[in-house]
């Protein structure tokens, strides 16, 4: 009863604070955008009140990113869209259309709920001290550590090779120039590849699975391996896809741990620190680019001053540059498809296959929109899953697609949680972090990144299982 009252106390307090803010008139002509954003944030809280709710459900992962759209809506309403880098409409258009766009997102989320909860089965409540996956024991445990060590060796060889290609005299410069990784100058002949970096992740997973409980030496060793792996992977210049490895391991650890209640408490305490590190890494990447340009032009550059300027411009860099679901770009997608360009009829939903089938002709709508509406922009401007569905099936078809996608997500959740196998938990953790979580911001093409996160581990663990059957079949 106390917990129930607490659940209602928090939103009630927030509602009172919001009413006080609205009474000051700070949102001006964008007050409808602010109201729609608050309504979205309220709708996103619905799953918390559903019986048997689990934090690792697909609906929870998606809502976490959708909540950033709600916060962005409040930010744009407060600033009048003045810092929106991808805004091509006038203030009056935004005041009229932004609330409608957010209301459509709310409708899409409700349709997703409909499909999801029609098919979702409440998972069984397991004992928090009961392992969800059977641990490896005996000689298999030793062999798994050997496989882990081999993976780390392969990954390190690839990293050392890349350092030799670009910065053999100053290896540290290779890692600190991650912001301009695309513009590094190769000083030795060879083919640049980061394919071996996937083995860092495989090595971390296999090492963690090789023991059932933590100890201080294991924790120290794991942290050391993780730190070096992140530095190596970050050298590619991809902030989210580097730190998504940590989120992935965080989810996977929950399924492997036999002290899940305490683990969640510790993880929640460290989560704010993790997001702070991600933001600092993003700002550092921007500073790295400016430092590179200053060096090229021979100008003086003050690193600390540049960094603090990024901190002071936090809102415009995070929300204005589209690092969260991009509200101004969503309105552009509404103008584009069905008038300038015909609906795609599902073409973009299978674009992720091009990462594995070289002959496959993919449709990346983010790049098409960028070329048409933002010719000076570098890279694509993704629509987010809601407006990707609009681009494929129209407004009404997008809502029907949300119902189907919700049902499909619930089916996968039911299947994986009921089977409780190591390989399936690896696959599910990757999908949760690099697919469902990020999908409200990007497009279905991101599924390829999720597959690349789990596929090497599945293959290596398959080889490990074959070796075990060949040599330890009697155990």
């Amino acid at each position: 009863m106390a917990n129930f009252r607490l659940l209602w106390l928090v939103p009630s307090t927030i509602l009172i604070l919001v009413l006080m803010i609205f009474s000051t008139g700070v949102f001006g002509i964008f007050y409808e955008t602010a109201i729609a954003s608050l309504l979205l944030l309220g709708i996103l809280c619905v799953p918390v009140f559903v019986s048997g709710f689990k934090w690792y459900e697909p609906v929870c992962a998606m809502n976490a990113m959708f909540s950033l759209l709600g916060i962005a809506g409040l930010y744009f309403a407060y600033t009048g869209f003045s810092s929106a880098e991808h805004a091509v409409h006038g203030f009056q258009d935004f005041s009229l259309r932004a609330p409608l766009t957010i209301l459509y997102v709310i409708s899409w989320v409700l349709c997703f709920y409909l499909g999801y909860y029609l098919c979702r089965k409440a998972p069984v409540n397991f004992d928090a001290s009961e392992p969800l996956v059977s641990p490896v024991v005996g000689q298999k445990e030793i062999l798994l550590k050997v496989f882990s060590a081999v993976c780390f060796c392969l990954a390190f060889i690839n990293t050392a090779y890349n350092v030799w290609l670009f910065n053999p005299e100053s290896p540290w410069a290779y890692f600190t120039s991650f912001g301009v990784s695309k513009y590094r100058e190769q000083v030795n002949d060879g083919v640049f590849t980061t394919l071996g970096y996937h083995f860092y992740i495989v090595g971390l997973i296999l090492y963690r699975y090789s023991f059932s409980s933590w100890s201080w030496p294991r924790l120290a060793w794991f942290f050391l391996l993780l730190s070096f792996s992140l530095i190596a992977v970050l050298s590619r210049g991809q902030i989210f896809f580097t730190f998504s490895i940590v989120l992935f391991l965080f989810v996977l650890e929950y399924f492997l741990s036999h002290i899940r209640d305490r683990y969640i408490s510790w993880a929640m305490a460290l989560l704010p620190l993790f997001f702070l590190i991600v933001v600092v890494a993003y700002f550092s990447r921007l500073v790295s680019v400016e430092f590179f340009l200053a060096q090229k032009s021979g100008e003086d550059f003050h690193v600390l001053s540049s960094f603090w300027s990024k901190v002071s411009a936090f809102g415009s860099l995070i929300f204005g540059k589209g690092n969260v679901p991009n509200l101004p770009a969503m309105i552009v997608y509404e103008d584009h498809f069905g008038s300038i360009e015909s609906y795609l009829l599902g073409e973009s939903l299978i674009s992720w296959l091009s990462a594995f089938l070289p002959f496959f002709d993919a449709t990346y709508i983010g790049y098409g929109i960028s070329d048409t509406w933002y010719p000076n922009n570098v890279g694509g401007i993704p629509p987010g899953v809601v407006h990707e569905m609009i681009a494929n099936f129209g407004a009404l078809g997008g809502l029907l697609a949300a119902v189907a996608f919700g049902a499909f997500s619930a089916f996968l959740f039911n299947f994986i949680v009921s089977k409780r196998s190591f390989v399936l938990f690896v696959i599910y953790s990757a999908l949760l972090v690099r697919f469902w979580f990020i999908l409200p911001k990007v497009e279905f093409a991101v599924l390829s990144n999720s597959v690349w996160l789990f596929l090497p581990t599945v293959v290596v663990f398959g080889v490990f299982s074959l070796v075990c059957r060949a040599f330890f079949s009697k155990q």
Side-chain angles (χ1 to χ4, degrees), residues 44 65-66 153 228 234 265 329 377 415 442:
L44 296 177
M65 184 59 71
F66 273 127
C153 288
F228 185 82
L234 186 61
S265 299
N377 182 71
F415 174 77
V442 291

Side-chain angles (χ1 to χ4, degrees), residues 47-240:
V48 177
F49 299 94
V50 174
S51 175
F53 167 76
K54 301 295 181 184
W55 66 267
Y56 51 85
E57 294 188 48
V59 67
C60 181
M62 291 187 65
N63 282 7
M65 184 59 71
F66 273 127
S67 67
L68 295 180
L69 173 61
I71 297 172
L74 291 172
Y75 173 80
F76 285 133
Y78 178 73
T79 60
F81 288 84
S82 59
S83 62
E85 187 173 295
H86 302 115
V88 297
H89 297 81
F91 294 136
Q92 199 66 34
D93 285 338
F94 277 126
S95 69
L96 296 173
R97 297 188 58 184
L100 297 177
T101 297
I102 296 174
L103 288 176
Y104 182 85
V105 172
I106 292 173
S107 301
W108 194 95
V109 170
L110 291 174
C111 288
F112 181 86
Y113 285 171
L114 177 63
Y116 186 82
Y117 287 111
L118 282 176
C119 298
R120 172 188 177 271
K121 297 177 182 178
V124 177
N125 288 322
F126 302 107
D127 186 347
S129 62
E130 174 191 356
L132 298 182
V133 179
S134 299
V136 292
V137 294
Q139 291 178 307
K140 293 181 181 180
E141 178 181 338
I142 298 174
L143 181 62
L144 198 60
K145 284 185 170 65
V146 172
F147 268 72
S148 174
V150 170
C151 289
F152 277 114
C153 288
L154 292 174
F156 180 77
I157 290 172
N158 191 169
T159 306
Y161 168 73
N162 287 339
V163 171
W164 175 78
L165 285 178
F166 294 94
N167 300 91
E169 296 182 358
S170 179
W172 184 243
Y174 175 80
F175 298 105
T176 56
S177 62
F178 66 94
V180 289
S181 58
K182 295 181 180 179
Y183 306 103
R184 292 190 183 110
E185 295 181 1
Q186 192 168 319
V187 298
N188 287 308
D189 294 333
V191 179
F192 173 71
T193 179
T194 58
L195 192 62
Y197 289 13
H198 293 289
F199 287 107
Y200 281 120
I201 304 171
V202 180
L204 287 167
I205 295 171
L206 296 186
Y207 175 70
R208 170 59 190 93
Y209 189 43
S210 67
F211 53 84
S212 58
S213 60
W214 289 94
S215 64
W216 285 111
R218 287 169 177 168
L219 184 62
W221 185 239
F222 184 86
F223 182 77
L224 179 64
L225 294 174
L226 175 62
S227 299
F228 185 82
S229 300
L230 291 178
I231 292 172
V233 176
L234 186 61
S235 66
R236 298 186 300 180
Q238 297 173 309
I239 301 294
F240 171 77

Side-chain angles (χ1 to χ4, degrees), residues 411-473:
F411 170 77
L412 282 180
F413 173 72
N414 295 337
F415 174 77
I416 291 175
V417 171
S418 64
K419 294 302 180 182
R420 296 173 57 185
S421 79
F422 169 71
V423 170
L424 287 180
F425 279 141
V426 170
I427 294 173
Y428 181 74
S429 300
L431 290 172
L432 195 71
V433 171
R434 280 197 182 175
F435 181 61
W436 281 303
F437 171 63
I438 194 66
L439 196 56
K441 177 188 179 297
V442 291
E443 54 187 289
F444 261 73
V446 78
L447 183 57
S448 63
N449 291 297
S450 181
V451 174
W452 274 116
L453 187 57
F454 70 73
L455 185 61
T457 300
V458 172
V459 172
V460 172
F461 190 77
V463 175
F464 166 79
S465 299
L466 291 175
V467 173
C468 288
R469 288 181 182 180
F471 294 96
F472 309 128
S473 58

